[in-house]
Amino acid sequence: FRHVLFRSERYAPHTQGLPHEHPLAFVVAYLSAGRVKTTALDGGSKVTTHVAGDVVWHPPGKYGVENIEDAPLERVVVEFKQ
């Protein structure tokens, strides 16, 4: 990999991010606890619960993310670029 992108994300309670694509695998580090609904653009979705300090690997794909908690959600996305 030639480049690594670090992006800080903050989702207000009950908000959804825009659908987006990750062409390569990526990692998400959670800075706060919360529940996230992740929806693949093919229609499948899942809800995951995280605590501050969780680090999760994700495969490439097209996703939409929603904070389904009553509190803000903060996380850092680490993407590998070629």
Side-chain angles (χ1 to χ4, degrees), residues 38-51:
T38 303
T39 303
L41 295 188
D42 68 5
S45 67
K46 66 178 179 178
V47 173
T48 53
T49 302
H50 302 281
V51 297

Side-chain angles (χ1 to χ4, degrees), residues 7-9 11 28-31 36 65 73-77:
R7 183 177 62 248
S8 177
E9 297 182 339
Y11 290 92
V28 177
Y30 286 84
L31 304 178
V36 175
V65 177
L73 177 72
E74 295 185 66
R75 63 192 208 160
V76 174
V77 176

Side-chain angles (χ1 to χ4, degrees), residues 3-4 7 15 25 58 63 74 78:
H3 303 282
V4 178
R7 183 177 62 248
T15 59
H58 293 277
Y63 300 93
E74 295 185 66
V78 180

